[in-house]
Amino acid sequence: MTVVIVGLGQLGSDVAGRLLARGEDVVGVKRTAPEATPFTEPVEGRFTLQLRDLTTSAPDLPADTTAIVVAFAPRARSVEAYDALYRDGVGHLVSAVAALPGTPPRILFVSSTAVWGEDGGETLDDTTPAVPTTGTARALLAAEEAVLAAVPEASAIRFGGLYGPTATMFVDQVRDGRVTRPSGWTNRIHRDDAAAVIVHLLDLPAASLPPVVAGIDEEPVLLSTVADFLADRLDVAPPTLDDAGRTPEEPHRGKRITAAALRDTGFTYRYPTYREGYSAQLP
């Protein structure tokens, strides 16, 4: 099959590499030419790069496209940038899909747990209605809804915080004593597992594809607990995270998400919690 990956950031490139390694043909759509090969070689499949800004034009989808992975990366973390990409970009993509012959391809849309606006320690899962509270999250949810309405075989993957060997900001902050973020619940997933989730869902029978998938690992955890774990592994002083005036009786901020749909599909994590994930990349 030919898989089109719209957005060749780190996650999209990881997915491309996995598919190419097993012999799939991949078309990557990107705004600008990458400085280097966007995936790890060697490969068995054929890779084609298409330079296209979806905010202004539609991609050229091969007639044999069987699946599309949408992994957008906005130019900036602003409502304007999100609106331009997730409204206009999705609109151009949906138009291109409608022009394809035969059955529309499967679409996996990379979204974020931010579309769930809960921030009082609530427990939720994939079936919890999304009520976003920020402009960027509302833009994401609108794009999810547009894709799910246009394509019968579509799924939105709401990823939590991605971390891994090239996403080390929090590790660096703990190492350097620069942790300033307030404490609260965090839902994370290692980048290798995030790419594996996408490939896993691509391989599922159409009837088994959930419309919404929480892309997080098996253990919601307090950010302070992660910070203490990292400090111990790095042999540095444990940081003190600000609870912003929270009293002992008050719940921690954030939300605790259960990845029920992903578990039900039979997905197996390489790094089921932050402990395995961070241990693999730290001394």
Side-chain angles (χ1 to χ4, degrees):
M1 62 181 178
T2 295
V3 179
V4 177
I5 300 180
V6 183
L8 282 176
Q10 192 63 67
L11 181 58
S13 298
D14 287 351
V15 174
R18 287 171 178 261
L19 294 173
L20 289 163
R22 69 183 198 181
E24 311 286 1
D25 290 340
V26 174
V27 174
V29 181
K30 198 175 187 301
R31 278 195 302 264
T32 57
E35 296 180 359
T37 302
F39 49 82
T40 303
E41 297 183 297
V43 299
E44 296 294 330
R46 180 179 61 186
F47 177 75
T48 304
L49 178 63
Q50 184 179 134
L51 298 180
R52 191 66 51 88
D53 185 347
L54 264 65
T55 63
T56 59
S57 59
D60 293 326
L61 301 179
D64 66 343
T65 299
T66 55
I68 301 172
V69 177
V70 184
F72 285 149
R75 297 177 186 271
R77 197 172 184 83
S78 67
V79 174
E80 294 77 15
Y82 271 63
D83 277 343
L85 186 56
Y86 288 104
R87 180 193 61 231
D88 300 335
V90 166
H92 286 126
L93 177 62
V94 168
S95 296
V97 169
L100 287 172
T103 303
R106 175 177 303 192
I107 296 184
L108 298 183
F109 182 82
V110 172
S111 185
S112 167
T113 56
V115 300
W116 284 300
E118 287 84 353
D119 193 37
E122 297 90 342
T123 298
L124 53 96
D125 64 17
D126 319 79
T127 64
T128 303
V131 184
T133 57
T134 67
T136 53
R138 284 190 285 270
L140 273 170
L141 182 61
E144 282 186 20
E145 293 171 343
V147 170
L148 293 173
V151 180
E153 292 184 18
S155 184
I157 312 171
R158 296 173 181 169
F159 280 117
L162 270 63
Y163 69 97
T166 62
T168 62
M169 183 177 68
F170 192 60
V171 173
D172 295 339
Q173 288 176 340
V174 172
R175 178 186 288 112
D176 300 338
R178 295 183 290 108
V179 174
T180 58
R181 295 174 59 185
S183 185
W185 292 101
T186 178
N187 302 271
R188 301 183 164 228
I189 186 168
H190 194 282
R191 199 189 72 206
D192 287 352
D193 277 335
V197 164
I198 293 175
V199 175
H200 171 74
L201 294 177
L202 286 174
D203 289 341
L204 286 181
S208 301
L209 188 67
V212 173
V213 176
I216 44 113
D217 67 22
E218 294 183 328
E219 186 178 330
V221 62
L222 289 171
L223 191 64
S224 57
T225 301
V226 180
D228 288 344
F229 175 83
L230 292 174
D232 181 67
R233 291 298 303 263
L234 294 167
D235 196 23
V236 298
T240 300
L241 277 75
D242 180 15
D243 272 330
R246 186 185 69 88
T247 65
E249 296 78 22
E250 291 176 322
H252 287 279
R253 298 187 63 179
K255 46 189 169 278
R256 289 170 281 179
I257 305 173
T258 301
L262 192 55
R263 181 185 62 233
D264 291 346
T265 67
F267 179 76
T268 301
Y269 294 92
R270 183 176 183 183
Y271 305 108
T273 77
Y274 69 94
R275 289 179 289 272
E276 294 86 359
Y278 281 117
S279 294
Q281 71 184 73
L282 294 177

